[in-house]
């Protein structure tokens, strides 16, 4: 590939946003798109978001509840590279029997993108312009009113982390005081890393115990499902109390303290920075009731007005929004894309091929048995 064609090459990057209903998923997406549009040169802003969305009215007009999944796509420039960004919004989870169905649908969407890639790879003549639709990152937006992850959060995060790079985010962080934020972040990390050992994106894993832990989790999940009805009244909404697995283990802070930041390479430093910040606190802009656009405020392009004061949603003093945006689109984008292919897609591809092979062998055995039976007639 010539230098010119490489410079003009288009990269696809796809981000899914999931979480419970009312935690600010759609508001976050609208804020992200508004921030990206504001960063563009004025002569290119008119064409921003011109790519067809699966729901034409998804991000226009006043904020409404997401009833069905939709995508919004737009071309952006990141460090001189052309990136086609697609964000997938999803209906919020409900704390009832619908959770498993909704989770099944979301995982089905992710796996369907793997199937499209597998089908393309199986062709004799592949399409060099095939669009990459694989989900490279999944933002799980956590309800800020919770004081820890509950059993539903843990179930969803565990299942999602088997198929996609999951990144935890605290939505509507403006509803939390600074003291509440300082308490909530380490509690969530303790649930994820120490108590539950959920392998979210970037989380350190013990390679020697991977297979043993996966088998153990599978057995525990089976037991939990069988006993769920009997223990329903005993379940607590505090994830820290639901499962004490690993409570005596080291914390994420202990792990991070092992590194000498200045002596690490650039990629390791990027992960250390990321692990020190998760879960990211994000604040969405306040929209005009009629248009859905950010309200007009002097000196602040994207913010909220509380009457007693105003905040800039993009300021590092009030939220981690800019840090999360930079992490997704710049410092970690290529790593997320690589992890999606090398880890999640290859794992899914292997599973599918093994199932296909097993089915074929079973069919051959059945066919052979039928032939033997016919010969005896």
């Amino acid at each position: 590939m010539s230098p010119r064609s490489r410079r003009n090459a288009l990269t696809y990057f796809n981000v899914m946003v999931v979480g419970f209903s009312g935690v600010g998923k759609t508001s976050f997406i609208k804020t992200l798109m508004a921030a990206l549009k504001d960063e563009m040169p004025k002569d290119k802003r008119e064409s921003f978001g011109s790519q067809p969305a699966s729901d034409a009215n998804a991000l226009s007009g006043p904020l409404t509840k997401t009833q069905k999944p939709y995508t919004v796509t737009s071309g952006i420039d990141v460090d001189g590279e052309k990136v086609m960004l697609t964000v997938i919004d999803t209906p919020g989870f409900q704390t009832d029997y619908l959770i498993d169905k909704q989770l099944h649908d979301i995982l089905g969407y992710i796996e369907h993108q793997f199937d499209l890639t597998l089908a393309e790879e199986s062709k004799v003549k592949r399409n060099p312009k095939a669009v990459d639709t694989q989900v490279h990152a999944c933002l799980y937006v956590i309800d800020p009113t919770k004081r820890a992850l509950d059993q539903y959060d843990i179930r969803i995060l565990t299942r999602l982390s088997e198929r996609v790079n999951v990144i935890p985010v605290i939505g509507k962080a403006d509803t939390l005081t600074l003291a509440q934020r300082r308490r909530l972040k380490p509690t969530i990390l303790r649930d994820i890393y120490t108590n539950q050992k959920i392998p979210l994106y970037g989380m350190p894993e013990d390679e020697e115990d991977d297979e043993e832990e996966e088998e153990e989790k599978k057995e525990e999940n089976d037991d939990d499902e069988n006993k769920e009805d009997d223990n329903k009244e005993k379940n607590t909404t505090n994830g820290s109390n639901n499962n004490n697995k690993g409570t005596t283990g080291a914390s994420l802070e202990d792990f991070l303290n092992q590194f000498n930041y200045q002596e690490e390479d650039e990629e390791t430093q990027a992960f250390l920075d990321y692990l020190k910040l998760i879960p990211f606190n994000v604040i969405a802009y306040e929209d005009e009731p009629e248009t859905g656009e950010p309200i007009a405020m002097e000196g602040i392009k994207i913010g909220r007005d509380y009457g007693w004061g105003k905040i800039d949603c993009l300021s590092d003093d009030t939220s981690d929004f800019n840090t999360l945006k930079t992490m997704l689109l710049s410092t970690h984008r290529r790593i997320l894309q690589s992890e999606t292919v090398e880890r999640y897609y290859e794992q899914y591809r292997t599973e599918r091929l093994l199932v296909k092979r097993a089915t074929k062998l079973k069919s051959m055995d059945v066919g052979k048995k039928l032939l033997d039976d016919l010969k005896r007639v």
Side-chain angles (χ1 to χ4, degrees):
M1 182 182 290
S2 67
R4 181 177 180 180
S5 60
R6 186 183 297 113
R7 188 166 55 248
N8 294 331
L10 186 64
T11 298
Y12 294 91
F13 188 63
N14 310 307
V15 180
M16 176 179 279
V17 183
V18 303
F20 279 86
S21 181
V23 296
K25 302 184 302 298
T26 305
S27 299
F28 167 79
I29 294 174
K30 294 184 71 170
T31 304
L32 174 63
M33 290 301 175
L36 292 173
K37 182 177 181 179
D38 185 66
E39 291 176 354
M40 300 186 75
K42 291 184 178 180
D43 59 331
K44 294 184 178 181
R45 291 180 186 175
E46 290 298 323
S47 62
F48 181 83
S50 59
Q51 295 295 322
S54 60
D55 184 348
N57 299 318
L59 297 182
S60 61
L63 188 66
T64 57
K65 185 177 181 179
T66 303
Q67 300 292 344
K68 61 181 181 179
Y70 69 87
T71 62
V72 57
T73 301
S74 188
I76 58 176
D77 185 272
V78 181
D79 302 327
E81 185 176 359
K82 294 181 179 179
V83 177
M84 188 62 69
L85 172 66
T86 295
V87 183
I88 306 117
D89 195 5
T90 58
F93 289 110
Q94 305 290 334
T95 52
D96 52 30
Y97 69 93
L98 289 176
I99 280 186
D100 287 326
K101 181 185 182 305
Q102 290 173 300
L103 186 55
H104 178 271
D105 292 342
I106 289 173
L107 290 171
Y109 179 94
I110 295 171
E111 292 176 351
H112 179 62
Q113 312 316 310
F114 290 151
D115 286 330
L116 294 177
T117 303
L118 186 57
E120 182 63 33
E121 288 184 349
S122 302
K123 293 180 180 179
V124 175
K125 187 176 182 180
R126 301 179 187 178
N127 180 8
K129 296 183 179 180
V131 176
D132 179 9
T133 61
Q134 294 182 22
V135 181
H136 302 113
C138 177
L139 303 184
Y140 183 74
V141 186
I142 300 169
D143 186 346
T145 64
K146 295 180 179 179
R147 293 298 170 257
L149 298 181
D150 61 26
Q151 58 177 323
Y152 299 111
D153 293 315
I154 293 169
R155 186 193 309 175
I156 294 167
L157 287 170
T158 301
R159 293 284 303 282
L160 286 174
S161 62
E162 296 172 356
R163 285 289 183 253
V164 67
N165 296 303
V166 183
I167 299 168
V169 174
I170 299 174
K172 297 184 176 180
D174 55 311
T175 62
L176 299 172
T177 65
L178 293 179
Q180 288 173 328
R181 291 188 192 185
R182 285 192 290 267
R183 288 194 296 267
L184 184 57
K185 275 197 173 190
T187 301
I188 291 174
L189 285 178
R190 186 163 56 249
D191 285 339
I192 292 172
Y193 179 71
T194 307
N195 297 348
Q196 304 298 329
K197 297 293 184 184
I198 305 175
L200 302 189
Y201 173 70
M203 283 291 173
E205 298 179 43
D206 188 344
E207 296 181 0
E208 295 180 359
D209 296 334
D210 276 352
E211 294 184 5
E212 182 180 342
E213 286 184 1
E214 287 177 8
E215 185 63 29
E216 185 178 341
K217 281 189 177 182
K218 183 178 179 182
E219 293 175 359
E220 289 177 356
N221 288 337
D222 290 340
D223 291 339
D224 289 343
E225 289 177 5
N226 293 333
K227 298 177 181 178
E228 186 173 356
D229 292 335
D230 295 334
N231 297 333
K232 192 171 183 180
E233 295 181 359
K234 298 179 181 179
N235 283 336
T236 174
T237 57
N238 189 325
S240 299
N241 296 328
N242 284 342
N243 190 329
N244 291 324
K245 177 183 175 183
T247 52
T248 58
S251 67
L252 184 60
E253 185 177 0
D254 293 332
F255 173 81
L256 295 175
N257 288 337
Q258 300 176 49
F259 295 86
N260 186 328
Y261 185 86
Q262 300 301 328
E263 296 180 359
E264 303 300 335
D265 58 52
E266 187 175 342
E267 183 173 312
T268 302
Q269 288 181 348
F271 271 106
L272 293 176
D273 291 337
Y274 162 79
L275 290 172
K276 289 176 182 177
L277 284 172
I278 58 170
F280 295 94
N281 288 306
V282 296
I283 301 174
Y285 70 70
E286 181 180 355
D287 60 343
E288 292 285 358
E290 299 297 328
T291 65
E293 295 294 320
I295 61 171
M297 290 187 293
E298 185 177 353
I300 299 177
K301 295 180 179 179
I302 301 175
R304 302 185 72 87
D305 187 349
Y306 296 93
W308 48 262
K310 302 175 182 179
I311 62 171
D312 184 348
C313 296
L314 308 185
S315 171
D316 294 336
D317 295 330
T318 55
S319 80
D320 301 322
F321 187 92
N322 267 333
T323 305
L324 173 60
K325 177 167 65 68
T326 301
M327 173 260 166
L328 283 173
L329 302 179
S330 183
T331 57
H332 285 252
R333 175 169 51 83
R334 291 186 180 87
I335 303 174
L336 288 164
Q337 291 169 321
S338 177
E339 279 284 290
T340 300
V341 174
E342 297 176 7
R343 179 177 181 178
Y344 295 105
Y345 170 67
E346 286 301 325
Q347 176 183 321
Y348 179 78
R349 176 179 175 274
T350 300
E351 291 173 4
R352 293 287 293 173
L353 293 177
L354 287 175
V355 169
K356 186 176 181 180
R357 182 182 179 187
T359 303
K360 183 178 180 180
L361 290 174
K362 184 177 180 180
S363 299
M364 291 173 63
D365 290 340
V366 172
K368 184 178 180 181
K369 186 176 184 301
L370 287 174
L371 288 174
D372 292 341
D373 291 342
L374 287 172
K375 289 178 181 179
R376 296 193 190 99
V377 175

